Amino acid sequence: MMRRLLAGVMLVAACSPAETAGTTTTSDIPTTVITATTTTPDATTTTLETTTTTTSPVSTTTTDPGLAGDWADEPLITTGFGALGWWDGSGWARAEEYDALPVVGGEDYQLISVMASGVIVGGPQALACDPLELLGVVFDEDVDQLGEWPGPYGVVLSAPWGVQPHLFEPVTPDDSHAAYASDLLASRGLDVPDPQIKQVFRTDLEGDGVNEVLIVAEDIQGGYFPNEGDYSILFLRKVIGGGVETAVIGESVMTDDTDFPVAFSVGGVGDLNGDGKMEIVVSAAYYEGLGVEVWEYVDDDIGPTPVLSVGCGS
């Protein structure tokens, strides 16, 4: 089952690995907690400045602002196995706190996923993740474009604005990314001289011309069973005030074999509330589940913070 990983604020549940991410399992949702922590790295990490700054924001918009279509009354964010919530004009509304979603059926949804882009059509509100009965949406077509277990897995958004107004691009991993991950793992009690890098993305979340780098290091050899030495860690690095700071978004570091590993992925990056800034979609998979969470980069003082989540699994 899923266990408490850190002191923080992320509730993730999931769906069975034996099935696709849109299917369900039959157990209570366990709690996984993830925190964003900010640290100042040592001299080995100062080379980031040459790879994460740019003189001006770069636009990679995948859809035109004011995209024609039928959109939800509120910008609903959902997955194939349940809705996360929406922006109500002043704050994030969590779907789990409501009895209904702001849809009637027939709404269009933009894909926000590292797997694909485009628009799909959703149906009426429906219950998902039996027997948890999460609020969700029936889709008229396959949502495999969002991803599948164990991830990465993205979301869809029923809103017309350009979902990627700023830079978001994959980066080929190099030795520096492995060195950053090795330092973080060592600080958590795991000696990994050459960590495996699963994902690296360069992005400008705020559109301020100063890029962030999202890195995922992962090696899970135990088949998602307890296995000492397994690890998955997702972190963000950014040049702030002339120095480089690191915020850990998700981590599962197995210094013994008493817990089950969780695999973290960047599922996508996009503007989910129409403010011109982009949020990070994080997926977290374990042996019997998959969860998705939205992280908002508040500012350079606070860093990334989780705001919405959904999951289905045992």
Side-chain angles (χ1 to χ4, degrees), residues 42-68:
D42 56 27
T44 62
T45 63
T46 56
T47 57
L48 179 69
E49 186 173 359
T50 61
T51 60
T52 60
T53 58
T54 182
T55 56
S56 61
V58 180
S59 175
T60 56
T61 305
T62 56
T63 57
D64 294 330
L67 185 68

Side-chain angles (χ1 to χ4, degrees), residues 111-171:
L111 289 160
I112 299 176
S113 168
V114 297
M115 308 297 292
S117 61
V119 177
I120 61 175
V121 178
Q125 172 181 306
L127 294 178
C129 193
D130 181 63
L132 299 177
E133 297 187 343
L134 303 174
L135 290 177
V137 171
V138 175
F139 287 95
D140 293 346
E141 54 191 283
D142 198 343
V143 291
D144 284 350
Q145 300 167 87
L146 287 178
E148 58 185 19
W149 188 95
Y153 195 92
V155 299
V156 292
L157 170 72
S158 186
W161 55 74
V163 294
Q164 283 187 349
H166 312 300
L167 175 72
F168 177 61
E169 63 182 12
V171 175

Side-chain angles (χ1 to χ4, degrees), residues 39 60 63 94 123 142 157 163 173 175 192 198 206 249 285 290:
T39 59
T60 56
T63 57
R94 300 173 183 269
D142 198 343
L157 170 72
V163 294
D175 291 344
V192 185
K198 183 170 78 170
E206 302 170 287
I249 294 175
L290 176 69

Side-chain angles (χ1 to χ4, degrees), residues 37-41 45 180 184 235-238 244-248:
T37 57
T38 302
T39 59
T40 301
T45 63
Y180 308 146
L184 285 174
F235 56 101
L236 177 149
R237 290 171 57 79
K238 184 177 183 179
V244 182
E245 295 193 1
T246 299
V248 174

Side-chain angles (χ1 to χ4, degrees), residues 118-290:
V119 177
I120 61 175
V121 178
Q125 172 181 306
L127 294 178
C129 193
D130 181 63
L132 299 177
E133 297 187 343
L134 303 174
L135 290 177
V137 171
V138 175
F139 287 95
D140 293 346
E141 54 191 283
D142 198 343
V143 291
D144 284 350
Q145 300 167 87
L146 287 178
E148 58 185 19
W149 188 95
Y153 195 92
V155 299
V156 292
L157 170 72
S158 186
W161 55 74
V163 294
Q164 283 187 349
H166 312 300
L167 175 72
F168 177 61
E169 63 182 12
V171 175
T172 301
D174 60 32
D175 291 344
S176 67
H177 302 125
Y180 308 146
S182 181
D183 288 346
L184 285 174
L185 293 171
S187 70
R188 285 149 174 78
L190 196 63
D191 183 18
V192 185
D194 188 21
Q196 295 186 26
I197 303 300
K198 183 170 78 170
Q199 292 178 305
V200 182
F201 295 99
R202 181 183 296 116
T203 187
D204 183 2
L205 297 173
E206 302 170 287
D208 59 0
V210 179
N211 294 345
E212 297 84 18
V213 173
L214 291 163
I215 303 170
V216 179
E218 181 177 293
D219 186 12
I220 296 178
Q221 298 291 324
Y224 290 86
F225 288 96
N227 186 60
E228 184 176 356
D230 284 355
Y231 60 87
S232 181
I233 187 165
L234 190 167
F235 56 101
L236 177 149
R237 290 171 57 79
K238 184 177 183 179
V239 175
I240 299 174
V244 182
E245 295 193 1
T246 299
V248 174
I249 294 175
E251 65 181 272
S252 178
V253 181
M254 308 296 292
T255 56
D256 55 38
D257 60 359
T258 61
D259 213 336
F260 286 73
V262 179
F264 296 97
S265 301
V266 177
V269 166
D271 180 3
L272 300 181
N273 63 356
D275 67 352
K277 299 179 181 181
M278 301 192 297
E279 285 73 46
I280 306 164
V281 178
V282 177
S283 56
Y286 72 112
Y287 177 70
E288 295 183 346
L290 176 69

Side-chain angles (χ1 to χ4, degrees), residues 86-111:
W86 58 92
W87 180 261
D88 67 6
S90 60
W92 298 100
R94 300 173 183 269
E96 62 190 15
E97 298 175 357
Y98 290 80
D99 296 327
L101 301 177
V103 295
V104 296
E107 289 86 2
D108 293 315
Y109 293 82
Q110 296 191 63
L111 289 160

